[in-house]
């Protein structure tokens, strides 16, 4: 009886173990599903944030221009332009009168500034053309060791890119970090109407590149309005869109986003589900087709600036 009872207890334990393992497996599967759903929700939140940023930036641009905000939902690629949260005092009708001064730079300096802007969390969403213009308009300045570049509590209107030397960042007398070359700092001063949140002091002799708030805002507005006009003209040239009212074309232009592809990249693959319409603003696109899986790809035509493709995807 004792042996039988022992065997029965062992079988019970084995069964309980299998049940527990199955329960854990189901829990793991549920966790995986929840993680996928969470990722999906995160993507949705990011998309909604982009739309909100577009709407906010559009309100600023259209309000300054005196246009009806209801006719535009957001300028082109607003996730890039929406970083300027401070309402601008510039009148878009006077943008042509504002002169943007360029400053000569070596190839190394130009590349350093571009990399710094692209690595900055607030600046990296700008259009490539905007980054180039900002880089071109940044002026040089040099300070000696011990000089205060930014003083906590002051009203700031300049953003800097550090090319040479080291600076120290402190807040209320406490050291936060040290910053080396190729770094952007002070960007909140031109993005938001706020006082400096920390002090930046030169640890060595330093070389900086700088641009002020008005220059930055001028670039944002000028490039935004030019892009919107260009995109509206592009859309107007597409036969499928020629019957659309101007306000609809304007709204479509607002939601166009600039995307860059390298030579050889695939934009659309034959057989894949299409949901995107493309207009070529720069470069060339090769269109090829495969009649059967055993055939080689045949080049059908080459598209250039102003050409479009994928418009059928918008019709479902």
């Amino acid at each position: 009886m004792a042996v039988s009872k022992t065997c029965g207890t062992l079988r019970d334990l084995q069964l309980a173990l299998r049940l527990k393992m199955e329960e854990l497996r189901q829990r793991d599967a549920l966790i995986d599903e929840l993680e996928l759903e969470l990722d999906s929700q995160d993507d949705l939140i990011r998309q909604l944030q982009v739309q909100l940023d577009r709407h906010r930036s559009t309100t600023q641009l259209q309000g300054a221009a005196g246009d009806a905000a209801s006719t535009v939902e957001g300028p082109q690629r607003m996730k890039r332009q929406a970083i300027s949260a401070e309402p601008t005092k510039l009148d878009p009708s006077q943008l042509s009168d504002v002169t943007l001064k360029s400053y000569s730079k070596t190839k190394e300096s130009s590349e350093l500034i571009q990399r710094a802007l692209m690595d900055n969390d607030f600046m990296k969403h700008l259009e490539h053309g905007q980054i180039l213009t900002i880089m071109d308009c940044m002026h040089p300045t040099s300070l000696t060791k011990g000089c205060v570049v930014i003083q906590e509590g002051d009203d700031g209107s300049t953003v800097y890119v550090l090319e040479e030397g080291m600076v120290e960042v402190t807040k209320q007398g406490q050291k936060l970090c040290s910053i080396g070359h190729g770094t952007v700092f002070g960007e909140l001063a031109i993005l938001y109407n706020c006082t400096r949140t920390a002090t930046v002091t030169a640890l060595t002799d330093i070389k900086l590149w700088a641009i002020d708030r008005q220059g930055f805002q001028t670039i944002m507005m000028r490039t935004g309005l030019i892009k919107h006009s260009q995109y509206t003209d592009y859309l107007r040239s597409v036969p499928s869109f020629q019957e659309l009212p101007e306000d609809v074309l304007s709204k479509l232009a607002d939601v166009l986003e600039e995307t860059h592809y390298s030579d050889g990249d695939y934009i659309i693959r034959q057989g894949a589900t299409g949901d995107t319409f493309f207009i070529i603003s720069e470069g060339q696109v090769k269109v090829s087709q495969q009649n059967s899986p055993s055939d080689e790809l045949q080049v059908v035509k080459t598209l250039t600036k102003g050409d479009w493709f994928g418009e059928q995807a918008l019709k479902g």
Side-chain angles (χ1 to χ4, degrees), residues 10 180 186 198 207 231 299:
L10 180 60
K207 179 181 178 181
Y231 291 161
V299 177

Side-chain angles (χ1 to χ4, degrees), residues 2 31 37-38 60 108 118 121 123 136 183 214 249 314:
I31 290 173
E37 183 177 352
L38 182 60
Q60 294 168 10
E108 291 75 15
M118 289 300 297
D121 289 337
M123 300 288 193
D136 191 47
T183 306
Q214 182 172 357
L249 286 176
L314 301 183

Side-chain angles (χ1 to χ4, degrees), residues 267-281:
I267 304 174
I268 291 176
R269 300 299 293 266
Q270 183 177 351
T273 302
D275 60 0
T276 308
F277 166 65
F278 298 89
I279 302 174
I280 303 171
S281 60

Side-chain angles (χ1 to χ4, degrees), residues 143-201:
L143 294 172
T144 58
K145 179 180 178 180
C147 288
V148 174
V149 187
I150 289 175
Q151 179 63 55
E152 182 180 356
D154 286 354
D155 291 330
S157 61
T158 306
V159 63
Y160 301 93
V161 173
L162 180 61
E163 180 171 19
E164 296 178 3
M166 293 280 295
V167 297
E168 181 181 75
V169 182
T170 59
K171 185 175 181 65
Q172 297 179 351
Q174 299 296 316
K175 179 180 177 180
L176 299 180
C177 63
S178 296
I179 295 176
H181 72 283
T183 306
V184 176
F185 63 91
E187 66 273 18
L188 294 183
I190 63 172
L191 303 179
Y192 303 93
N193 186 17
C194 62
T195 58
R196 297 294 196 183
T197 58
T199 296
V200 179
T201 307

Side-chain angles (χ1 to χ4, degrees), residues 193-251:
N193 186 17
C194 62
T195 58
R196 297 294 196 183
T197 58
T199 296
V200 179
T201 307
L203 292 176
T204 64
D205 293 348
I206 58 175
K207 179 181 178 181
L208 303 161
W209 294 96
I211 186 171
D212 63 19
R213 183 188 296 129
Q214 182 172 357
F216 177 82
Q217 289 183 341
T218 300
I219 293 170
M220 291 297 98
M221 292 186 65
R222 182 178 292 178
T223 54
L225 293 175
I226 291 174
K227 284 288 187 182
H228 184 272
S229 177
Q230 289 176 344
Y231 291 161
T232 303
D233 290 339
Y234 282 149
L235 292 171
R236 195 178 289 114
S237 68
V238 179
S240 301
F241 300 152
Q242 287 179 350
E243 300 300 322
L244 296 177
E246 283 297 311
D247 63 326
V248 176
L249 286 176
S250 179
K251 291 179 180 180

Side-chain angles (χ1 to χ4, degrees), residues 60-75:
Q60 294 168 10
L61 278 174
Q62 297 301 322
D67 295 334
S70 61
T71 63
V72 180
E73 293 178 351

